[in-house]
Amino acid sequence: MRKFWDNPGTCGTGTLARERLAVPDRLKIGNVEVSPATVLAPMAGVTDTVFRRFIRNLGGCGLIMTEFTSADGVLRAKDQKAKRYLHFYEDEHPISAQLFGSDPKVMAEAARIVEGLGFDLVDLNLGCPAKKVVKCNGGSGLLRDLPAIGKIFEAVRAAVTIPFTVKFRAGWNDEEIVCVELAKLAESSGLCAVALHARTREQGYSGQARWDWIAAVKDAVRIPVIGNGDIRTPEDACAMVAQTGCDAVMIGRTAPSNPWIFRQIEQYTAWISNDAGRNGNGHVGTGALARPVEQSSTGFGIGTTREGHDFSRVASVPFSVSPRLERPYDEPTEADRYQMIRTYFQMLIEEELPDAVGKMKQFASWFTHGVPGGAALRKAIYESKSAPEILGNVEEFFEARLCGAGALAREV
């Protein structure tokens, strides 16, 4: 990979980031240590076991989460979708299972099942804005009924011994902001951490996230606060920590389009920490010096995963820091992106997921974003009828490009 140095720019809130405050290198949620303090957000249709392991193996992500799963579905023995959502491998720890529902008894029993399956944490979804979830009083639909949320908190907290957390939005709309009150309720109910997506339900995923709401929540409670919303670059992650004081950052939609984001944050944080040590400015967060990449918290360096997938070219070699360089972190080359796509698609095939072909087509638009000629590859992928055919199109496209580039370089 080549190095990337960005010009000073705007953070996720649109204001100039004046401080370089490193993302903390660790976070304690109950008895679970999350290191580094970065979290892969739960995303429907995205964060299945294949994508979670893919992110974990690329490095830099401290905690991964399942797709949000219906508590009612967990209790139904024949609900195959819920079983698939809660399937995970040992190399995914620490991992949190996210549940949604509105019945305290059902939520409590589902949480017990999750704990029995071996999850490290259980999380309540109060953020999903989807109409079909909201109309069942799930997800962000509960934000208008704090007493009902309190009953769920109490029931689940009494049912499990593993850390219990909640992810929520700031409120139903700008006139009904409840994030501070909800965070205090979570703390008084014995929850171990809160994660705030700094948008309202009415916003959906539009507009800008209001990081000042995260700061308000952080000021209101003593339990860890995880910030979520508009983190697109390592600079954004560090700016969120600087502006809000949050204990960790959670990344959602950026991860499918840039799976290296967590690794980039770890590298950028290491550079900030090193730079602070040289200049004595002290703005290094709680992490001091970040670990070298080959000793990352994921235990993954250069080599192969348990399934034998070779990430030696997908995960870049450790970088070296020069005092004269600013904001260094890896940006994938075209060859890196090829290895990433091929590895992920191979993992989907080997996992034998029923929707593997659909996922390949879904991820193709993200993974090929910015690739010259990518539109032709996406068209070929969308027209393919099977997973092996899709993989073959990917290999043919990139090998032709990379071999052509190599031949051109030799001629020059």
Side-chain angles (χ1 to χ4, degrees), residues 71-72 100-104 107 136-138 142 148 152:
D72 289 305
F100 75 91
S102 58
D103 187 313
M107 286 294 303
C136 299
N137 213 27
L142 280 167
I152 295 174

Side-chain angles (χ1 to χ4, degrees), residues 59-122:
C61 183
L63 177 66
I64 53 180
M65 302 183 72
T66 67
E67 301 175 65
F68 79 116
T69 306
S70 165
D72 289 305
V74 173
L75 267 57
R76 289 194 295 268
K78 294 183 180 181
D79 194 318
Q80 296 302 315
K81 182 179 290 187
K83 288 181 179 178
R84 189 168 76 248
Y85 286 174
L86 297 180
H87 170 66
F88 71 96
Y89 292 96
E90 284 303 309
D91 59 359
E92 295 185 54
H93 292 291
I95 180 173
S96 176
Q98 190 184 68
L99 303 174
F100 75 91
S102 58
D103 187 313
K105 292 182 179 179
V106 172
M107 286 294 303
E109 185 56 35
R112 287 192 191 96
I113 293 173
V114 161
E115 182 173 32
L117 290 173
F119 281 93
D120 301 291
L121 308 93
V122 61

Side-chain angles (χ1 to χ4, degrees), residues 39 58 75 93 127 136 140 160 246 291 308 326 351 374 392 404:
V39 184
L58 285 175
L75 267 57
H93 292 291
C136 299
S140 58
V160 298
C246 63
R291 291 171 305 282
E326 292 189 357
E351 192 64 28

Side-chain angles (χ1 to χ4, degrees), residues 9-10 33 69 78 105 120 136 151 182 193 197 202 204 213 216 266-267 305 352 364:
T10 57
E33 183 170 287
T69 306
K78 294 183 180 181
K105 292 182 179 179
D120 301 291
C136 299
K151 291 178 182 178
L182 180 48
H197 180 172
E202 191 174 80
W213 288 333
E266 190 172 44
Q267 293 174 331
T305 66
E352 297 182 348

Side-chain angles (χ1 to χ4, degrees), residues 80 84 348 351-359:
Q80 296 302 315
R84 189 168 76 248
L348 281 173
E351 192 64 28
E352 297 182 348
L353 295 178
D355 54 349
V357 171
K359 281 186 175 293

Side-chain angles (χ1 to χ4, degrees), residues 41-353:
M43 291 176 281
V46 177
T47 53
D48 59 21
T49 182
V50 175
F51 188 73
R52 295 193 306 262
R53 283 182 287 131
F54 184 67
I55 290 293
R56 174 56 51 79
N57 287 328
L58 285 175
C61 183
L63 177 66
I64 53 180
M65 302 183 72
T66 67
E67 301 175 65
F68 79 116
T69 306
S70 165
D72 289 305
V74 173
L75 267 57
R76 289 194 295 268
K78 294 183 180 181
D79 194 318
Q80 296 302 315
K81 182 179 290 187
K83 288 181 179 178
R84 189 168 76 248
Y85 286 174
L86 297 180
H87 170 66
F88 71 96
Y89 292 96
E90 284 303 309
D91 59 359
E92 295 185 54
H93 292 291
I95 180 173
S96 176
Q98 190 184 68
L99 303 174
F100 75 91
S102 58
D103 187 313
K105 292 182 179 179
V106 172
M107 286 294 303
E109 185 56 35
R112 287 192 191 96
I113 293 173
V114 161
E115 182 173 32
L117 290 173
F119 281 93
D120 301 291
L121 308 93
V122 61
D123 184 80
L124 171 63
N125 180 301
L126 295 179
C128 178
K131 290 181 180 180
K132 65 179 181 180
V133 175
V134 170
K135 73 178 182 180
C136 299
N137 213 27
S140 58
L142 280 167
L143 293 176
R144 287 177 153 177
D145 194 346
L146 292 186
I149 292 175
K151 291 178 182 178
I152 295 174
F153 282 169
E154 292 173 6
V156 174
R157 182 66 284 173
V160 298
T161 60
I162 58 175
F164 175 31
T165 63
V166 60
K167 181 176 185 287
F168 55 97
R169 285 178 175 249
W172 183 262
N173 54 37
D174 285 341
E175 286 70 47
E176 300 178 62
I177 302 301
V178 298
C179 52
V180 170
E181 188 177 356
L182 180 48
K184 289 180 177 179
L185 177 61
E187 182 176 45
S188 64
S189 300
L191 274 70
C192 299
V194 296
L196 173 60
H197 180 172
R199 285 184 172 87
T200 64
R201 188 270 167 181
E202 191 174 80
Q203 275 185 276
Y205 297 97
S206 64
Q208 289 187 323
R210 288 276 303 274
W211 290 0
D212 54 309
W213 288 333
I214 300 173
V217 168
K218 178 60 184 172
D219 288 341
V221 298
R222 289 176 291 180
I223 57 176
V225 174
I226 302 168
N228 176 226
D230 289 351
I231 295 179
R232 302 182 181 92
T233 67
E235 290 88 345
D236 290 339
C238 292
M240 177 183 280
V241 173
Q243 293 182 23
T244 70
C246 63
D247 302 282
V249 295
M250 177 181 284
I251 298 171
R253 290 173 294 164
T254 295
S257 59
N258 177 20
W260 284 278
I261 183 65
F262 296 100
R263 185 183 182 87
Q264 290 172 336
I265 291 172
E266 190 172 44
Q267 293 174 331
Y268 186 51
T269 290
W271 174 77
I272 289 176
S273 300
N274 284 331
D275 188 55
R278 283 190 300 273
N279 298 323
N281 61 29
H283 295 302
V284 294
T286 62
L289 288 178
R291 291 171 305 282
V293 174
E294 65 269 29
Q295 298 174 4
S296 72
S297 62
T298 62
F300 177 76
I302 303 301
T304 58
T305 66
R306 174 180 54 78
E307 294 81 4
H309 299 293
D310 184 4
F311 280 86
S312 59
R313 292 178 62 191
V314 182
S316 69
V317 296
F319 70 97
S320 58
V321 178
S322 166
R324 295 175 298 172
L325 302 180
E326 292 189 357
R327 304 186 179 187
Y329 49 83
D330 293 339
E331 182 176 293
T333 64
E334 196 163 323
D336 295 322
R337 194 170 294 278
Y338 170 39
Q339 285 296 114
M340 175 192 69
I341 297 172
R342 186 168 65 175
T343 299
Y344 178 71
F345 283 7
Q346 285 174 335
M347 291 175 71
L348 281 173
I349 292 172
E350 292 173 15
E351 192 64 28
E352 297 182 348
L353 295 178

